[in-house]
């Protein structure tokens, strides 16, 4: 059994008390806590331990939280999952070595998971997204996941999760690690063999170009597409005027997408890895992506990104999930939601998180958090890090 609670309060003691009452009778064996970045993490962890006792607590900072009772990103939210049944509690492995290199840290985590997990285990990955605020630098999720996948192997591990951050400005991040708060860390929660996860990827981005080859790239900076300056190709296709704001316009209306699986098969939202465009460099004719995982020779498409597509994607994705889990022994719904999709960032007139909370199967406990990056299986294959995505995951017992 898993139970959930959601509250918004500036007082950690009051927030923890509210969650204790909402969880109800019984002693949890583990807590998953997602805590708004305006809370002091040490004070919140202490408050949770006062209410629940010395229960191991995992999770960490979140730009906001999502529940049935409400949602928000004021920084004072707390979302809690209480795992009540010892038979459902995951094994936990952790690395605190992200600052020394994300690929190596991901590999260490993958090796550790490989030592305890069945090949098709459900595994939740949570990690500190922010390496430093000044200068701004991220712990690249794609590098963590690359190292993890290389070390674990190609067996069908059901890896899902997200990056933890304190707010939408990428100011900071931290991780709850059992009985302490840590930085530059990643945690893998390996669920027992009888538990599986169903995931739906929702972003709504649609291709508006043919496939183009990346012919010059350096890290996250894409210089050429099909031998032409990448920025010029995008501006020509979109009809964007030249000017100082062009990078901002690009970031609002397009992503670069890589389709996995059959390139010329029907459009499948769940087969695309989209990369947000952080900025443009007019002098170099380049664009800088949110993650550095595209490579020389990668085939990409320019993807249209707008709020109507996003909201339509959510409606379709939640309906698809409801059909997929109907009649199953479902334990928990978890919504891992890119913070940029919140209306305060996207400008959407409707909060897509509210659509999820209202439309998702009411019989299944639901909790969500606003993330920096999302992780889920893509195109029926291994898991990848994702941008501008909502990942709806349902943990259930295998039949």
């Amino acid at each position: 059994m898993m139970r959930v609670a959601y509250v918004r309060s500036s007082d950690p003691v009051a927030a923890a008390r509210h969650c204790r009452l909402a969880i109800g009778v019984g002693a949890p064996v583990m807590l998953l806590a997602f805590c708004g970045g305006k809370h002091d993490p040490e004070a919140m962890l202490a408050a949770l331990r006062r209410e629940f006792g010395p229960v191991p607590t995992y999770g960490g900072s979140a730009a906001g939280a999502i529940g049935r009772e409400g949602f928000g990103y004021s920084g004072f939210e707390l979302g809690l999952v209480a795992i009540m049944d010892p038979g459902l509690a995951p094994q936990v492995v952790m690395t605190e070595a992200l600052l020394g290199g994300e690929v190596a840290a991901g590999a260490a985590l993958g090796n550790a998971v490989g030592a305890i997990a069945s090949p098709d285990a459900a595994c939740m990955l949570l990690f500190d997204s922010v390496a430093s605020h000044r200068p701004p630098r991220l712990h690249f999720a794609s590098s963590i996941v690359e190292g993890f996948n290389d070390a674990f192997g190609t067996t069908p591990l059901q890896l899902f999760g997200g990056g933890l951050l304190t707010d939408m400005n990428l100011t900071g991040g931290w991780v709850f690690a059992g009985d302490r708060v840590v930085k530059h860390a990643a945690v893998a929660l390996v669920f027992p063999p009888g538990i599986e996860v169903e995931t739906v990827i929702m972003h709504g981005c649609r291709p508006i170009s043919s496939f183009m080859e990346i012919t010059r790239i350096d890290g996250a900076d894409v210089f050429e597409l099909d031998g032409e300056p990448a920025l010029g190709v995008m501006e020509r296709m979109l009809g964007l005027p030249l000017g100082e704001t062009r990078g901002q316009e690009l970031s609002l209306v397009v992503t670069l997408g890589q389709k996995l699986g059959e390139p010329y098969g029907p459009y499948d939202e769940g087969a695309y890895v989209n990369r947000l465009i952080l900025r443009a460099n007019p002098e170099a004719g380049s664009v800088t992506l949110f993650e550095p995982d595209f490579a020389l020779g990668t085939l990409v498409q320019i993807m249209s990104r707008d709020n109507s597509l996003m909201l339509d994607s959510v409606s379709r994705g939640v309906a698809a999930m409801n059909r997929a889990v109907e009649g199953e022994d479902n334990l928990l719904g978890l919504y891992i939601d890119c913070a940029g999709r919140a209306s305060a960032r996207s400008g959407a007139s409707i909060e897509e998180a509210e659509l999820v909370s209202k439309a998702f199967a009411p019989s299944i406990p639901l909790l969500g958090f606003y993330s920096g990056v999302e992780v889920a299986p893509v195109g029926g294959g291994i898991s990848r890090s994702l941008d501008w995505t909502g990942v709806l995951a349902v943990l259930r017992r295998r039949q």
Side-chain angles (χ1 to χ4, degrees), residues 10 16 20 25-26 53 93 112 125 134 140 199 210 250 255 268 287 299 318 339 358 365 371 389-390:
S10 60
R20 172 70 268 190
V25 297
V93 296
L125 175 66
R134 294 181 181 176
F140 288 122
T199 56
S210 59
L250 284 174
T255 66
D268 177 6
V287 294
L299 293 180
V318 174
K358 288 182 175 179
S371 56
T389 300

Side-chain angles (χ1 to χ4, degrees), residues 78-315:
L78 173 64
L80 204 67
V81 176
I83 301 176
M84 312 299 292
D85 183 349
L88 302 178
Q91 296 185 73
V92 182
V93 296
M94 186 178 72
T95 175
E96 297 180 58
L98 292 185
L99 201 59
E102 289 91 357
V103 174
L109 201 63
N111 277 321
V113 170
I116 62 172
S118 59
D120 58 350
C123 179
M124 186 175 181
L125 175 66
L126 300 170
F127 53 91
D128 176 4
S129 282
V130 181
S132 69
H133 183 53
R134 294 181 181 176
R137 191 167 71 82
L138 300 177
H139 286 307
F140 288 122
S142 59
S143 300
I144 299 170
V145 174
E146 174 192 345
F148 186 102
N149 287 334
D150 287 347
F152 186 85
T154 57
T155 52
L157 181 79
Q158 304 171 77
L159 184 69
F160 71 104
L164 304 170
L165 70 170
T166 55
D167 55 47
M168 295 184 184
N169 295 320
L170 307 178
T171 303
W174 36 264
V175 176
F176 285 137
D179 60 354
R180 58 198 178 103
V181 179
V182 295
K183 274 286 298 172
H184 311 302
V187 174
L189 305 166
V190 183
F191 287 90
I195 305 301
E196 63 184 4
V197 63
E198 180 85 18
T199 56
V200 170
I201 289 172
M202 300 178 288
H203 50 73
C205 300
R206 287 187 170 266
I208 56 173
S209 77
S210 59
F211 290 100
M212 297 176 289
E213 182 180 351
I214 295 178
T215 49
R216 186 183 166 210
I217 187 171
D218 182 11
D221 296 317
V222 179
F223 289 91
E224 290 183 359
L225 296 171
D226 283 346
E228 298 184 55
L231 180 58
V233 171
M234 293 184 179
E235 288 180 331
R236 184 174 67 249
M237 293 200 68
L238 296 168
L240 286 175
L242 299 177
E244 294 181 358
T245 63
R246 72 181 75 167
Q248 296 174 7
E249 292 174 6
L250 284 174
S251 68
L252 292 173
V253 299
V254 295
T255 66
L256 270 187
Q258 178 190 17
K259 186 178 183 183
L260 303 183
E262 172 53 48
Y264 298 102
Y267 171 75
D268 177 6
E269 182 172 18
Y272 277 91
V273 174
N274 291 297
R275 288 288 167 250
L276 293 170
I277 296 172
L278 285 181
R279 57 185 176 271
N281 185 331
E283 292 74 24
S286 65
V287 294
T288 301
L289 306 181
F290 197 73
E291 294 274 347
D293 57 331
F294 289 175
L296 190 68
T298 299
L299 293 180
V300 295
Q301 292 172 282
I302 298 174
M303 309 286 288
S304 175
R305 165 192 165 188
D306 68 35
N307 292 329
S308 63
L309 291 173
M310 174 181 69
L311 298 174
D312 179 62
S313 165
V314 167
S315 296

